[in-house]
Amino acid sequence: DIKEAPDYTIANNPHVAIVSGPIGPEETDDKRDLTIATSSRTQVVYAKNGNKIEHVQGYSAETCGHNIDGEQKSAVAKAILASNGDIVLCAESGDVRIKAKNLYIETSGEDKQGNIMMQANGQVSISAGDDLKLTGGDICMIGEKSINMKTNFDVRIVGNLTKMKPTNLFGKLS
């Protein structure tokens, strides 16, 4: 039979409160293991169920990789791993930007379950300084209004051109 450690206030001053155990009335267990709260209302809560919750009132930044050799290929400076469950990046009133020298997106689903899905209620724009290549078993393009291709050079099509009924490949377009 393991005894529980008593609740303990580590610090409580105008700048920070650090408390191990529940916060609040003694008869209430709010399932906290450790709470750190600052005067700016920034909080970090470690819960008894293993969860961690952070509330940052302003800007939050994390830097890493200062001692990694920049010439080393594939040197990992930060990894976010989820053994189970999803990872969600959400900026409800802002944008999500990913900047890197190169960007690799890879799926590892089994039985054709490794999908990449993109959806926009506005425009999707892909621009390349060099080649833009689309490769797939079948590539289907649907233009509800039209499909436009423009070049100052040649349009090359290798393969057979087959005129099809609209429902053969895509189903009804309207």
Side-chain angles (χ1 to χ4, degrees), residues 50-156:
N51 290 348
K52 175 188 175 191
I53 301 168
E54 276 187 81
H55 295 279
V56 178
Q57 301 303 319
Y59 174 76
S60 174
E62 182 177 332
T63 62
C64 52
H66 301 285
N67 294 329
I68 292 178
D69 180 4
E71 300 299 317
Q72 182 181 348
K73 191 174 181 174
S74 298
V76 176
K78 170 116 180 154
I80 300 173
L81 307 170
S83 296
N84 295 301
D86 300 336
I87 294 176
V88 177
L89 301 175
C90 180
E92 291 179 2
S93 299
D95 300 327
V96 174
R97 292 189 167 110
I98 301 173
K99 292 184 178 185
K101 183 170 63 175
N102 294 297
L103 181 61
Y104 299 92
I105 300 173
E106 181 179 329
T107 65
S108 60
E110 297 176 8
D111 293 328
K112 298 189 180 194
Q113 293 299 310
N115 301 311
I116 296 175
M117 312 299 278
M118 293 190 318
Q119 182 176 344
N121 61 356
Q123 188 179 59
V124 174
S125 178
I126 301 173
S127 177
D130 194 7
D131 293 340
L132 174 64
K133 298 176 182 180
L134 298 174
T135 304
D138 288 315
I139 297 176
C140 303
M141 293 189 298
I142 299 173
E144 293 291 329
K145 296 178 186 173
S146 63
I147 294 176
N148 301 307
M149 291 189 288
K150 180 184 180 217
T151 182
N152 291 329
F153 302 98
D154 296 333
V155 174
R156 295 180 201 101

Side-chain angles (χ1 to χ4, degrees), residues 4-77:
E4 285 194 31
D7 301 344
Y8 187 72
T9 299
I10 299 165
N12 190 5
N13 61 53
H15 308 288
V16 68
I18 303 174
V19 179
S20 66
I23 293 180
E26 276 190 35
E27 64 275 0
T28 305
D29 183 2
D30 61 7
K31 308 295 185 208
R32 295 178 186 223
D33 269 343
L34 179 66
T35 302
I36 303 168
T38 68
S39 63
S40 67
R41 295 182 32 212
T42 294
Q43 295 182 15
V44 180
V45 177
Y46 296 88
K48 291 180 181 180
N49 64 1
N51 290 348
K52 175 188 175 191
I53 301 168
E54 276 187 81
H55 295 279
V56 178
Q57 301 303 319
Y59 174 76
S60 174
E62 182 177 332
T63 62
C64 52
H66 301 285
N67 294 329
I68 292 178
D69 180 4
E71 300 299 317
Q72 182 181 348
K73 191 174 181 174
S74 298
V76 176

